[in-house]
Amino acid sequence: MARSVLEVADIFRDHGPAWRRANAGHVSLDQMKVMSAIESCRTAALGGHVVRCEDCSHIDIAYNSCRNRHCPKCQGAQARAWLEERKAELLGVPYFHVVFTLPARIAAIAYQNKTVIYDLLFKASSETLRTIAADPKRLGVRIGFTSVLHTWGSTLTQNPHSRYRALSSP
């Protein structure tokens, strides 16, 4: 498989150290571990093995992967397969995308109390969706939805929010 011109690992290797310094104190240990795993994935840093063709004696070096669930090299195929499975489950009805974001003060509390706060986020947001959808002055329907917790924002800083894909039925 041909290598992309630019990969996430390249960006992390080139700009990661400066980004880490600029965001010191705002990046969790888990986030640092993910960045480190992506940077070293399929490089000599993780070791590897030599593959030799028995017929022509051609040799290739295959470096080991990090196997981190956030790594685009390691999890790209699995992520695509998962997405296709979810698409197959969709019904032929309109869907709506809704995002519930924790206020910054509560997000700071969530960082130390993940189970309690995220459980409350899911309970409050799902109850809100059901209540509004059932109101006859609004939709007057029962809805189904899938909810996903996102804890990082696009800048790789903590930004807890839940995303819902909701569908309505009369």
Side-chain angles (χ1 to χ4, degrees):
M1 183 164 94
R3 185 180 185 278
S4 300
V5 175
L6 184 65
E7 295 182 347
V8 172
D10 297 324
I11 296 167
F12 280 5
R13 282 190 289 271
D14 292 347
H15 304 286
W19 186 87
R20 287 180 186 102
R21 283 190 301 277
N23 291 281
H26 300 287
V27 182
S28 72
L29 180 58
D30 288 337
Q31 291 166 324
M32 298 289 267
K33 287 179 181 178
V34 168
M35 287 182 74
S36 177
I38 292 171
E39 288 169 348
S40 60
C41 188
R42 296 198 175 121
T43 67
L46 294 180
H49 52 279
V50 176
V51 180
R52 182 177 152 283
C53 176
E54 294 295 324
D55 295 329
C56 70
S57 297
H58 175 77
I59 294 176
D60 274 329
I61 297 174
Y63 292 117
N64 296 332
S65 71
C66 66
R67 290 187 239 133
N68 187 288
R69 69 184 181 107
H70 300 289
C71 178
K73 285 186 210 171
C74 294
Q75 302 305 325
Q78 291 91 330
R80 285 187 295 280
W82 180 88
L83 184 59
E84 289 306 313
E85 290 170 9
R86 300 297 73 78
K87 283 181 180 178
E89 296 170 349
L90 296 176
L91 302 174
V93 298
Y95 283 81
F96 304 91
H97 185 90
V98 182
V99 178
F100 291 84
T101 303
L102 288 175
R105 284 183 161 167
I106 296 174
I109 296 168
Y111 191 72
Q112 299 298 324
N113 301 281
K114 293 173 178 65
T115 303
V116 173
I117 300 299
Y118 295 156
D119 186 51
L120 287 170
L121 172 64
F122 281 116
K123 285 180 181 175
S125 55
S126 64
E127 186 176 315
T128 300
L129 287 172
R130 287 189 182 113
T131 301
I132 291 172
D135 185 345
K137 294 178 183 175
R138 293 202 162 80
L139 296 173
V141 298
R142 270 186 21 188
I143 62 169
F145 49 84
T146 301
S147 179
V148 178
L149 176 67
H150 291 259
T151 55
W152 296 12
S154 59
T155 59
L156 294 181
T157 55
Q158 186 192 20
N159 178 24
H161 56 284
S162 61
R163 293 181 179 266
Y164 285 85
R165 284 193 59 90
L167 63 99
S168 64
S169 64

